[in-house]
Amino acid sequence: MKKIAILLIASVMCIGHISAQGYDYLGLGYNMGFLRSEGLDFVVDRYNETRPYLYDQMEHPRYFDGFAIHGGVGRGLLLLNLGYTQQSSKVSAEGTDATATTVQRDLKNKWNTFDLGIGLNIADGDRGAFGLGVNMGLNSEKALTRTGAPDDIGKEKFEEVQKQFKVGFSPFVQIILTGDSGTGLLIRPYYAWSPMTTDYTELNAAINPATAAGDPTPLEGDLKGFGITLLIVSMDGY
């Protein structure tokens, strides 16, 4: 906590001359999240434990990454943000079954979000801005899978087996650091969470058809965790 506090203080000091006029910003870049869901982990564990022939077991989906775009304004103490984030995680399993056929299964999970953020503009100046807030988002969570021979798996198309929309919340810290031109870097660590759970029953039935009937229904979980957004940003002050 002490190191985090020092980092935040240093970031505010880098902003330069503090002003109260406000600013606009627009950024495009990269998002990474370290997420987990109990229901999704259950499906993966069931897949591994019912296929003892696997020599490469499927890992739990944890690392999600993709593209992000955000824009917003700071006016006085008010910080507003609009954004879109597209991220996914792909895990695989491989083994030779009883028929001596070597098979690979890929599981891809997508989590795309349109969000509106509101927060506190703590400081802004000629070198950037610093704020705190909460994003309220509409999340689309999808599960897709494909199977085939390892050497030809890239030719196979993913089949969507599950899709769900839900509302989520992401408290965040936002740091913008710019040069004289107004172009710079936006750094936004966050925690993603939703009060709504996802039912993974359809995914479980798709990849574990022999055992799904005996598994819990609904098979619920909440995809949540920490992430960070890094954007190349253009900032215009007033």
Side-chain angles (χ1 to χ4, degrees), residues 24-39:
D24 301 336
Y25 66 92
L26 179 65
L28 177 68
Y30 180 70
N31 178 85
M32 67 186 87
F34 301 91
L35 312 174
R36 71 180 304 270
S37 168
E38 298 86 352

Side-chain angles (χ1 to χ4, degrees), residues 23-51:
Y23 58 93
D24 301 336
Y25 66 92
L26 179 65
L28 177 68
Y30 180 70
N31 178 85
M32 67 186 87
F34 301 91
L35 312 174
R36 71 180 304 270
S37 168
E38 298 86 352
L40 188 54
D41 287 354
F42 180 97
V43 175
V44 171
D45 288 340
R46 180 69 84 224
Y47 185 86
N48 290 331
E49 68 191 17
T50 55
R51 292 163 177 84

Side-chain angles (χ1 to χ4, degrees), residues 152-206:
D152 298 321
I153 193 68
K155 300 176 184 178
E156 303 293 336
K157 293 184 178 181
F158 277 99
E159 176 187 0
E160 182 180 306
V161 294
Q162 181 174 299
K163 183 176 182 179
Q164 182 172 329
F165 291 97
K166 58 184 183 179
V167 175
F169 298 92
S170 299
F172 65 85
V173 176
Q174 180 166 290
I175 302 165
I176 302 177
L177 301 173
T178 66
D180 294 335
S181 66
T183 301
L185 179 65
L186 182 149
I187 306 167
R188 176 187 285 196
Y190 64 87
Y191 181 80
W193 169 81
S194 174
M196 303 172 61
T197 58
T198 299
D199 182 4
Y200 296 97
T201 301
E202 290 178 276
L203 172 61
N204 192 40

